[in-house]
DNA sequence: ACTGGCGGGACACCCCGTTCCT
DNA sequence: AGGAACGGGGTGTCCCGCCAGT
């Protein structure tokens, strides 16, 4: 049943559909047909808005990178508030959603995709590298405020936090672990580093 | 083209070929044809030794799990020798080879494979979960010897070490990072935990 | 791009565009999109003036049949003038233009189109059958005038003339053969049939 | 139901299937899938034996050209036997089968195909041009035997015979016209040219 | 036991005819 | 009138599993 109406933000719709497929059926189920079928649009729509399916995937990752940038910004803004452990925990939970974890797996499993992302993420695993950098920046800011000890290495701590969280979150299948457990792990990570805020 | 000649240990040859393909071309290139072609063998050979390509992949992972078990054992044996940092570093470098990292990605990208591995690895990411458990056991043993503080949480430390190392190793593409860098990161992880050995 | 302006005789414009496409790019290039694009018109215009693309094609052929009817009439009017060979040659050259030859190929390659034309052309190949009938009528008229021998079979001669000319013209690709060559062939065909005009 | 047995002359099977499709369903129905389905063969078989579907079509035409060459040879061999009219009629009926007529239409409707055939058939319509040449050669041979008048132009006569026959045969849809009718037309064509054989 | 062709399915990409909102 | 979308189809390609020969 052909309709002459222009779709409302087709890119976003396709991205959303791709996310649902990734989380529900895994990376191997993410085909162009599956995306268009999931979003209830014609096959040609994808190729009208993206030159290639590979290009679509690349933009899908970039879209998630944009969302991650917003989380990073919120983390940065939270500097000096609450506790360092809480702030980092919040950011990790927000960042390592099933969507984003699936995106990470997608990038890892598609070499061409990863190669294309070498421009935005020259080193490390896309998304995780950016997240690590954001946590690192945040810790550096907290260090300036004196909320973590100056002897702590922000780079190592960030790598640590993200690596641990990734292992933790990716281990569960689809289900996000509850906040208290994550916070506990993060606290043990930052023990001896975080200073109690003096009020 | 000779026929009828029995191959010498075809399973090992196929596994080796699969590893080479994984490291060289990525998980998406690991097809049954690629495996048989890489090992210079007819397509039918794979199906004579494995009922299914999925079964082949499962056994490939199990093969790597066996190798990992040997590394774990060596780690356990090293208890009390050298330094904790050095021992953990050695184990991580031995365990997180490009081969094994590719196997991890392979498992993550193939849902059926991961589901089949739920029997051997009920929680966590296959290979990484086993590695974490091994490190945890090792740290517990060191704690008994008093080489790490009794207040340290071996589970959290192990998760930490493996998560960090995975992020570090998987970030590089194919190239293993040099030992000194890894040892540094592990040292910062174990700072305040590892006690200097009293001689 | 002005909108709302009624096109000047859109049917003729579309037909003309179709002819250009046929001659330039061949029958396989004659799609609805090509026609509207060639005539610089929106895709919907074609369907506003024709219920169907098949209907458009049918009317395209009928349009050429109309033009052919005018040629036939001119041939009939020429009875008694000049020479029979010259008159037939003129009609064939006028009729078997690259446009019309492409239309013949179009009809031959589209079964539905040919079936629809069974009403106007019950037997033979559309356009060629009509042309043959016209030549036949003309020859009969000349026979009445005594300009060709009464023993000649006009039907066979007409079939002959058109068949030969079709082979000759369709062999060239786009280029119409020069008149002298065609006249020569027609003369050899009518040798022993055409009587020299007694003045 | 896969069978490991190598197909018996797959090219011939595919050609035969293509012919059946052409005659039954027309040129527009001749797709690669239709060919493999008609011959009861897997899709990949066509691409295993031909690099391209276009290449397949080219070879299909060349195959028919080969068959035509055999007919031409039989015509040449018949020189001096029976009557010229009978021999030409036989050749035309054998050559202008529904198969070959469909092939002619196929070539006319596919520009790329025709362009590729410019090497074998530089001028004229493929198959018809070769047939015309064969008839011309035959007539020349008969002229040497004195069975047709030396004043007759073999080239024009051949063009005439083939053009007329093509019009006649292609006018019928699928059904070959009966021999007597064709022979009558050919006789009228050769009247005044063929000399009665003196016994 | 190994070899190599086949069956069948899926996928990306592309084109076509058509509808219909803006 | 213009242009986006739609559904269907076609091609080339890949991949896995299978099995008759060798």
């Amino acid at each position: 049943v052909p309709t002459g109406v222009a779709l409302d933000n087709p890119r976003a719709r396709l991205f959303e559909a791709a996310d649902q497929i990734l989380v529900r059926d895994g990376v191997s189920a993410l085909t162009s047909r599956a995306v268009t079928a999931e979003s209830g649009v014609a096959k040609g729509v994808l190729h009208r808005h993206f030159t290639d399916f590979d290009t679509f995937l690349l933009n899908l990752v970039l879209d998630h990178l944009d969302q991650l940038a917003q989380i990073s910004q919120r983390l940065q803004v939270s500097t000096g508030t609450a506790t360092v452990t809480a702030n980092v925990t919040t950011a990790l939970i927000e960042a390592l959603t099933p969507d984003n974890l699936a995106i990470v797996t997608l990038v890892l499993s598609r070499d061409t995709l990863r190669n294309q992302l070498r421009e935005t993420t020259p080193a490390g695993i896309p998304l995780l590298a950016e997240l690590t950098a954001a946590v690192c920046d945040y810790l550096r800011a907290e260090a300036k405020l004196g909320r973590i000890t100056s002897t702590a290495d922000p780079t190592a701590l960030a790598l640590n936090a993200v690596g641990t969280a990734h292992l933790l979150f990716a281990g569960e299948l689809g289900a996000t672990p509850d906040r208290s457990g994550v916070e506990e792990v993060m606290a043990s990570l930052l023990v001896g580093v975080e200073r109690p805020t003096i009020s």
Side-chain angles (χ1 to χ4, degrees), chain A:
Chain A
V1 185
T3 58
V5 60
L7 263 52
D8 179 50
N9 199 2
R11 290 174 57 106
R13 288 188 57 176
L14 293 171
F15 287 159
E16 197 173 343
D19 284 347
Q20 291 178 10
I21 294 166
L22 277 176
V23 172
R24 193 200 325 126
D25 305 322
V27 287
S28 54
L30 187 64
T31 66
S32 74
R33 298 288 249 260
V35 172
T36 51
E38 179 77 22
S39 65
V41 300
K43 290 169 304 184
V45 174
L46 196 149
H47 286 86
R48 181 173 304 278
H49 294 276
F50 302 92
T51 61
D52 219 338
F53 188 60
D54 279 348
T55 306
F56 169 75
L57 294 180
L58 178 60
N59 284 77
L60 175 67
V61 178
L62 294 178
D63 186 62
H64 282 265
L65 278 176
D66 279 352
Q67 296 176 24
L68 183 65
Q70 298 177 12
I71 295 174
S72 300
Q73 197 171 359
R74 280 204 295 276
L75 175 60
Q76 196 69 24
V77 167
S78 72
T79 307
T81 70
T83 66
V84 174
T85 299
N87 291 340
V88 169
T89 300
T90 299
L92 292 177
I93 288 181
E94 284 179 0
L96 299 178
T97 54
D99 289 27
N100 282 341
L101 290 173
I103 291 286
V104 169
T105 302
L106 175 70
V107 173
L108 288 178
S109 63
R110 298 228 182 195
D111 7 1
T112 62
L113 190 52
R114 183 160 190 186
N115 286 334
Q116 287 175 314
L117 287 167
R118 294 301 286 272
E119 297 183 2
T120 66
T121 310
I125 302 170
L127 274 179
L128 298 185
E130 281 81 3
L131 180 57
T132 303
V135 172
C136 184
D137 287 347
Y138 165 74
L139 291 178
R140 255 194 273 268
E142 292 285 12
K144 281 188 181 170
L145 292 188
R147 301 218 303 168
I148 64 175
T149 62
S150 58
T151 58
D153 179 4
T155 306
L157 282 176
L159 198 69
N160 228 306
V162 173
T164 306
H166 179 233
L167 216 57
L168 216 52
F169 287 54
E172 319 278 331
L173 294 160
T176 306
D178 56 1
R179 181 182 174 91
S180 62
V182 180
E183 195 154 0
E184 200 169 336
V185 175
M186 288 301 129
S188 83
L189 234 168
L190 294 170
V191 75
V193 171
E194 186 171 9
R195 288 180 179 160
T197 305
I198 303 168
S199 56

